[in-house]
């Protein structure tokens, strides 16, 4: 929540910040994420870790765009499938993709509306969802973000974060952690542990490293 945090972050990692947040790069990563997560659609929930809040909102828009495009592409391919079993699997996948929801989960800060506007972004709908949670069909009350993400059958399947939920947030059915933020030491180990919880039907967690942390 420190107004100088963004400036300190940029100074700390220098040129890397501008490389990581470059539009063309984020575009490629969003496409890769969509294909990877859609292909592994039975692998549980996912968390995408961005370098900062601005990038979280940018990535959300890109993922939603390419997710819709991928649904259209798979739907067109479905009509060419001759094998009944493969067709049934594709129908289930498309149904799952159609229900899947993505959400940005970031802490609130003073003056954030104006700050995001400078980037041509609107944080308001994201903040509203974070505060109010998801609608429950047929009920007046809403389901908070944490509870929805922890529910195996809830369609909120991808949380896009930069700091919140990285440590001390236990979601056993989290299958894949996508890292696009330079992390190290304790913070890195805590983040990796998000995908390392035991859950029924889960054989392992998967870490997808977009930042070269493994190297």
């Amino acid at each position: 929540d420190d107004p100088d945090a963004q400036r300190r972050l940029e100074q700390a990692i220098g040129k890397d910040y501008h490389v990581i947040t470059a539009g063309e790069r984020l575009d490629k990563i969003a496409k890769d994420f969509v294909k990877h997560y859609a292909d592994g659609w039975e692998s549980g929930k996912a968390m995408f870790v961005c370098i900062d809040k601005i990038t979280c909102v940018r990535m959300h828009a890109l993922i939603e765009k390419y997710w819709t495009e991928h649904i259209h592409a798979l739907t067109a391919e479905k009509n060419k499938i001759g094998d009944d079993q493969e067709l049934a699997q594709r129908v289930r996948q498309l149904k799952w993709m159609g229900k899947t929801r993505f959400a940005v989960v970031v802490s609130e800060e003073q003056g954030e509306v104006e700050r995001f506007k400078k980037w041509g972004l609107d944080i308001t709908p994201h903040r509203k969802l974070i505060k109010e949670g998801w609608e429950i069909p047929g009920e007046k009350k809403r389901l908070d973000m944490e509870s929805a993400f922890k529910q195996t059958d809830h369609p909120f399947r991808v949380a896009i974060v930069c700091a919140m939920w990285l440590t001390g947030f236990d979601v056993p059915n989290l299958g894949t952690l996508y890292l696009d933020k330079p992390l190290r030491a304790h913070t890195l180990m805590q983040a990796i542990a998000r995908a390392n919880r035991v859950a029924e039907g889960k054989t392992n967690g998967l870490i997808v490293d977009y930042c070269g942390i493994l190297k």
Side-chain angles (χ1 to χ4, degrees), residues 1-12 53 109-110 115:
D1 296 333
D2 186 334
D4 294 325
Q6 179 74 16
R7 178 179 53 79
R8 291 203 307 271
L9 172 64
E10 292 180 23
Q11 290 176 344
K53 298 174 186 179
E109 62 182 69
Q110 285 187 333
R115 180 167 165 250

Side-chain angles (χ1 to χ4, degrees), residues 146 150 165 167-174 193-194 196-198:
E146 288 194 17
K150 290 180 179 182
W165 292 10
T167 60
F169 182 63
D170 190 25
V171 184
N173 63 336
L174 180 69
R194 296 313 99 213
N196 198 33
R197 298 292 187 253
V198 177

Side-chain angles (χ1 to χ4, degrees), residues 6 17-27 30 48 50-66 104 106 116 118-123 126 160 180:
Q6 179 74 16
Y17 177 84
H18 301 288
V19 172
I20 291 169
T21 59
E24 185 178 352
R25 179 182 179 278
L26 295 182
D27 196 74
F48 195 108
C50 295
I51 195 168
D52 60 8
K53 298 174 186 179
I54 295 289
T55 310
C56 283
V57 175
R58 291 173 69 194
M59 184 56 69
H60 179 274
L62 289 169
I63 287 174
E64 289 218 318
K65 171 187 172 183
Y66 290 121
V104 170
V106 294
F116 276 83
K118 291 177 181 177
W119 284 82
L121 302 170
D122 186 7
I123 188 62
H126 300 286
I160 303 171
D180 194 32

